[in-house]
Amino acid sequence: MCVPSALVTPSARYHDTSYKEEEEDEDEKDDSETTVIDGEEESDDKAKETEPQQQKKQAWAPTTYSTFGKEVFCYVGEEISILEALDSYGAVIWPAALALCHYLETNVEQLNLVDKAVLELGAGPGLVSIVATLLGAWVTATDLPEIIGNLRANLLRNTRGRCRYTPQAAALSWGPDVERTYPRTVYRYDYVLAADVVYHHDYLEELLFTMRYFCRPGTTLIWANKVRFPTDLVFTEDFKNTFNTTLLAEMGEVKIFMATCRETEEHLKHHPAG
């Protein structure tokens, strides 16, 4: 069963509660997996037979997370299986990610990602980055180091053999250190994507600094957010005061903004031909 993307809402996605272990490499599946019925495993002999297979699965396990389950979505005509975890906000899919995926899929003429360099901030389990990759982008999905293992597994599981580019997962901590780890002379992106990244209220200044750092002349920033606290509204005002912004869409409680660097206008004033 696959939920059509046009109908996906936080309540529409479905949760596979029978998913007890990390999803194995899809090319290496066999019929010897241990099954669980009413909380009891099958015979010990069969469990022993599957032990080597279970050891293979450990290579895909998140570094520190306990398994929560998998959620399945349909975007860009593809079934996307996302493994989530309980131990971090960054390992779970939030409503703004679903809204942004739907917007990207249904507005390909306005936002053509084919052959574009895309950076996602706070990628979490990677759904937005996967959709952007399926739409033809060259994607770098970033988050904190402890998130990367699960993020990379989700990216590869859902894009291998389907896309023109292989998405990358990379650690990125918001704030001034980004200038050292992502120097301007090396890293430049056509689009920067972010969805539901404002809930971690202790680092909003660092987030805005990072958005401003990557959103240079020629870069478009797409930010989707569901307002939950007054601090969200304060950040939204700071965001609008920092960039040239346009409200692209409102999907329920989620707003999607497009932003460009204000330096672009100054550049055009002084360099009309360029």
Side-chain angles (χ1 to χ4, degrees):
M1 174 181 177
C2 186
V3 182
S5 60
L7 301 178
V8 168
T9 65
S11 60
R13 56 186 186 166
Y14 69 85
H15 176 60
D16 185 353
T17 56
S18 67
Y19 194 83
K20 298 297 182 183
E21 298 180 277
E22 296 293 326
E23 186 174 64
E24 64 181 314
D25 186 332
E26 294 181 356
D27 295 329
E28 298 180 354
K29 286 183 179 178
D30 62 37
D31 296 329
S32 63
E33 289 189 59
T34 300
T35 58
V36 179
I37 303 176
D38 295 331
E40 296 182 1
E41 293 187 355
E42 291 183 338
S43 67
D44 292 339
D45 291 339
K46 190 168 184 179
K48 290 178 181 179
E49 292 175 3
T50 62
E51 184 175 353
Q53 193 70 18
Q54 292 171 353
Q55 290 176 351
K56 289 181 182 179
K57 294 178 185 179
Q58 295 306 310
W60 289 95
T63 307
T64 58
Y65 295 146
S66 61
T67 299
F68 177 45
K70 71 173 180 180
E71 307 237 22
V72 180
F73 308 88
C74 283
Y75 290 103
V76 201
E78 298 284 353
E79 184 175 288
I80 301 173
S81 173
I82 297 292
L83 181 66
E84 296 180 308
L86 284 173
D87 301 330
S88 169
Y89 292 129
V92 179
I93 293 172
W94 296 98
L98 301 177
L100 182 53
C101 287
H102 176 67
Y103 186 86
L104 293 176
E105 177 188 45
T106 56
N107 292 272
V108 292
E109 294 184 1
Q110 295 91 328
L111 295 175
N112 183 2
L113 299 184
V114 176
D115 295 329
K116 298 297 193 300
V118 173
L119 176 75
E120 185 184 3
L121 302 176
L127 180 62
V128 172
S129 285
I130 291 167
V131 171
T133 303
L134 291 171
L135 288 169
W138 178 76
V139 177
T140 301
T142 66
D143 213 306
L144 295 172
E146 59 267 28
I147 305 289
I148 296 301
N150 189 55
L151 171 59
R152 181 177 290 113
N154 282 328
L155 292 174
L156 296 179
R157 180 184 301 114
N158 290 285
T159 63
R160 185 171 48 192
R162 301 181 183 181
C163 306
R164 64 174 66 195
Y165 301 112
T166 300
Q168 305 298 311
L172 189 157
S173 297
W174 302 336
D177 281 350
V178 72
E179 296 177 316
R180 177 176 56 83
T181 54
Y182 289 80
R184 288 179 180 270
T185 55
V186 178
Y187 297 94
R188 184 182 183 88
Y189 299 94
D190 299 299
Y191 288 93
V192 176
L193 306 178
D196 263 335
V197 291
V198 179
Y199 58 84
H200 208 324
H201 304 296
D202 292 338
Y203 297 97
L204 296 186
E205 290 185 8
E206 289 82 357
L207 172 60
L208 190 61
F209 179 95
T210 305
M211 287 178 164
R212 188 168 58 245
Y213 179 79
F214 285 111
C215 190
R216 307 167 194 171
T219 300
T220 300
L221 171 62
I222 307 294
W223 170 48
N225 188 61
K226 176 182 176 180
V227 173
R228 296 176 176 84
F229 303 101
T231 46
D232 291 51
L233 298 175
V234 173
F235 182 87
T236 300
E237 288 305 309
D238 291 341
F239 181 84
K240 291 179 178 179
N241 290 333
T242 301
F243 302 104
N244 298 314
T245 63
T246 302
L247 179 61
L248 293 178
E250 290 189 66
M251 300 181 181
E253 299 179 273
V254 175
K255 292 184 178 181
I256 302 177
F257 293 94
M258 179 178 70
T260 56
C261 178
R262 287 190 169 174
E263 295 175 15
T264 302
E265 290 185 353
E266 293 302 314
H267 176 81
L268 291 175
K269 289 178 181 178
H270 294 92
H271 304 85

